[in-house]
Amino acid sequence: MRTSMHHNPTSRSIVAIATLAVALGSSTFAFGQDEASNIDSGFLFIKAGRVYVSPDRSIEDGCIIVRDGKIEEIGQRAAKPEGARVIDLSEGTLTAGLIDANLSAEILATYRGPENETECIPHLRVLDAFDAGDPMLERLAAGGVTTVYVGPEPSSVIGSQGAILRTGGPIEERVIHAARGVKATIGREPIFRDGFNRGPFGRVSFMTRRPTTRMGLVWTVRKSFHDAHALARGEDTGSRGEGSPTDEAIPILQGILKGDVPLRIQARQLLDIQTAFRIGQEFGLDFILEEGTEAPRCIEAIKANNVPVIYGPIYDYPRGFRASSGEVDRRRLSGATELLDAGVTLALSAGDLAADAPLAEQASFAMRYGMTRKQALAAVTTTPAKILGLGEAAGKLERGAGANLVLWTGEPFEATTRAALVIVNGHVVFDRTEEGETK
Amino acid sequence: MKHRSVTFGIRRVFAAATVVALLGTSANAEGPTFAVRAKGYVDPDGEVVRNVTLLVEDGKIKKIGKRVRAPKDWIVLNRSGEYLAPGLVEIHSAVGAMRRTGEAANSIEAGADAADLFNQYHHDFDRAARAGITTIVLAPSSAHLVGGVTAVVKTGGSDHENRVVSPGPLKLSLTAQAFAQERVPTSLQGALATLRDMIATARANKDDASPFAHWARGETAAIVDVEDAATLRILARFAREHSLKCIALHANEAADRIEDAQSLGMPVILGTYEFHDPFRYTRVPGLLEKAGVAVAFTSEPPRYAPELLRVGAAIAMSEGMSRKAALAGMTSVPAGIVGLSNRIGSIEVGKDADFIVMDGDPLRLSSRVEEVFIGGERVFDWKAESERSASGVR
């Protein structure tokens, strides 16, 4: 039952090239997974050269038994149970399914875009605007990602609530949280997009939004929380005036102030990160920092404010708005490692980067620039699980817990390694083992 | 000049209908009363029963069967070479609409009524009748999140004032068309947040007897335009979340979303089908039938030809749908959606005498609609029309 294709280095490199070719050359690669998602043999005995039970603990030549969607047994020498499908990959490794804590809804094929009514729309749900069975999610699953936080793109100053989803399995089991956490953006992106949504020759229409300057943007954030805060204390804000949050937005903003609704702030430049701290201090807000390109420049402040960072994406050269705005001119490839080494709570995210195994690629990048495998594994499993509040068992392989796991063809995050088998909540959603491939 | 001649032609059709109505009226009944002897009729199960006689009294079906005999003084129409089929029901149209079918200013027009927006004298009604359609559901446009209440209308009959039979279900739209306007909401997520608020308000206020409130409380169904597969899934989740009854419209892309259509627990409306439609659309009716989901077809006149209603059912049949379900998709299923199963949708005793006379099976596209009767009144006569056009008189 050994997967014969990985016996020698030559066949391994052929496989790597073939993977690359498939990944680059064909969009059917993603859609082809539809059939794989129907494979659901249920009862599995998987043996691997190394099992990463958690980022800190691994078992050499370990095995794992998955039955009825749960991890039934995990250890070094479990007996092969009767009737189980056996998958033996002695040069492979097993890890928990990866968790991307900041996927941008914008990369989903079925996403329908933001609301242009106002700049402050925390009462809206991004889950209302896409299909939980989006083909991109299945593509992510094929890259080893089993859980994602899908947030809105940074087009609104205070955007809609994100959703936590599984990337595969039956549709009705996919939504873990329909609305969890609000994303605010401090930076030039909402301004840029607002300018962009003007008509030809700068025609101002109903769709054209404010603010149009950075100070207007910060004012919108402050005004929103100020009004919510004042109303919560029973103060009469009178006629709240233009640019104030709508009545529907107020309860959610008050939830953020009380700490019931997690707040996430996307900020790239030092100035924007410091503005986020200032607003946080003014209103007593805890928040999660998203992207944080220049966060390595203010490590002490991040530690002092106890702010978790969902860092990334990491890339060689920026594209799109990042490139044209100059917001990421001071990016550092070693930034994530610097933050982690200083003791900051840090998760890696591929954000809006579309690739075939984007999160594993992020971990790979991080390792190239100094992160240990242990740190990288934690940054894509246990840490994002903790930031998202998914519970103690999430991001690890634990007996009795729901099976979210990836069997890799080699050490995780190596350039030559890819996912061979992905299980989401007990369902085999991707299968490239010998048996799976011939199906 | 052209306009005048068209009007004249319509008058001729109505005049012919009135003559039949007068001939068919017996002394003690008010509506048309007569008998039809036919080669066969399409029964409620879609089967053809041979050699039957149909008795129409006061515009209703009194009797139908092999051993039925017409009373002595009744006029008997001899159609022994033809078949009788139930009048077709078109579930989503804007026939007779005067310009736009919705106010542009607001996306939510829950109080709008499609009965107010059409001209009952419009020649498109004659065109629909010519295609065998006897009942039509007029719907507000899909450019509105909540478009208003649909209206169920007969396509012919001399009594124009009473053409509106009843109000139909509420119409909603989650399509891009509803959001690309200069008004709120501008997005699907904004739309669903707005609906959530409106539903909560309607549920809190039990006295609210508006059509929207009834739908919001799960008491009635609404037709919801979903446009594509992703929106169908989003609607399915939203309907589950709030226990709403939603009839998905334009679910043509549902081939790999059958379970979502199933989870709505309601009929689904498909169309408009044309011959160039890809297999992934045309196999959907058959797949839904297998999954136990009722299908209604639409041809959406006047945007598309009303004849496409029969074309849609025939294409669906050629791609795997059963004959019974294909026929039901043009008759009993849409009749059920508008809550008029007791009056229309099949040739059965007690129902309205809405039927068509055809020279063959209604599901064969070569079969001709020869005559159309609504409430026992003949509103279309192919022979008379072709003779008129042969003589150059229109």
Side-chain angles (χ1 to χ4, degrees), chain A residues 112 115-116 127 131 160, chain B residues 186-187 189 228 233 237 257:
Chain A
R112 290 300 157 75
E115 172 65 41
N116 289 305
L127 184 62
D131 175 356
S160 24
Chain B
T186 65
S187 66
Q189 46 179 317
D228 60 25
R233 176 159 287 162
R237 193 180 55 239
R257 297 284 185 277

Side-chain angles (χ1 to χ4, degrees), chain B residues 94-381:
Chain B
V95 164
M98 294 175 285
R99 293 171 170 269
R100 297 179 70 116
T101 51
E103 282 292 323
N106 295 314
S107 190
I108 294 162
E109 294 285 355
D113 187 346
D116 297 331
L117 67 79
F118 81 109
N119 168 9
Q120 64 260 54
Y121 303 102
H122 201 285
H123 56 264
D124 280 346
F125 282 105
D126 300 324
R127 172 124 199 245
R130 202 185 188 287
I133 296 167
T134 54
T135 307
I136 213 160
V137 180
L138 302 176
S141 81
S142 291
H144 293 75
L145 173 56
V146 183
V149 178
T150 55
V152 188
V153 178
K154 293 285 180 87
T155 54
S158 49
D159 188 1
H160 293 284
E161 298 303 318
N162 292 320
R163 252 190 203 180
V164 179
V165 179
S166 72
L170 194 69
K171 160 90 186 277
L172 283 85
S173 168
L174 298 179
T175 63
Q177 206 195 340
F179 309 128
Q181 317 268 342
E182 299 256 321
R183 62 180 189 212
V184 293
T186 65
S187 66
L188 189 53
Q189 46 179 317
L192 295 188
T194 308
L195 284 182
R196 252 187 217 107
D197 279 352
M198 290 173 69
I199 290 166
T201 310
R203 287 185 175 179
N205 180 10
K206 299 282 179 217
D207 300 332
D208 188 349
S210 67
F212 183 89
H214 283 300
W215 175 69
R217 292 194 289 261
E219 294 156 12
T220 56
I223 295 174
V224 187
D225 195 341
V226 294
E227 187 176 59
D228 60 25
T231 318
L232 172 65
R233 176 159 287 162
I234 291 164
L235 173 69
R237 193 180 55 239
F238 190 77
R240 265 201 307 276
E241 184 185 318
H242 297 284
S243 309
L244 298 169
K245 290 180 186 163
C246 298
I247 298 161
L249 167 69
H250 295 149
N252 297 19
E253 287 187 12
D256 55 353
R257 297 284 185 277
I258 298 296
E259 71 276 20
D260 293 304
Q262 228 173 352
S263 84
L264 287 170
M266 299 297 291
V268 163
I269 302 170
L270 303 175
T272 301
Y273 281 118
E274 293 182 276
F275 291 108
H276 59 252
D277 277 332
F279 177 54
R280 67 175 191 279
Y281 291 0
T282 53
R283 73 189 176 124
V284 171
L287 292 175
L288 287 173
E289 187 197 358
K290 272 194 201 79
V293 179
V295 171
F297 295 102
T298 177
S299 60
E300 311 206 284
R303 193 166 165 210
Y304 298 96
E307 286 78 10
L308 290 176
L309 183 58
R310 270 172 68 209
V311 171
I315 291 175
M317 220 179 123
S318 73
E319 292 287 7
M321 197 182 213
S322 74
R323 186 195 141 79
K324 185 182 171 181
L327 192 74
M330 304 186 283
T331 54
S332 55
V333 174
I337 290 175
V338 295
L340 289 176
S341 294
N342 58 337
R343 281 189 60 182
I344 56 172
S346 64
I347 300 180
E348 277 181 282
V349 174
K351 289 195 177 181
D352 294 2
D354 296 356
F355 59 93
I356 50 185
V357 179
M358 300 190 77
D359 67 348
D361 187 338
L363 283 161
R364 274 184 188 276
L365 294 178
S366 56
S367 304
R368 178 195 305 141
V369 177
E370 299 209 321
E371 286 169 284
V372 177
F373 289 83
I374 294 177
E377 259 186 69
R378 184 161 62 185
V379 301
F380 172 69
D381 182 355

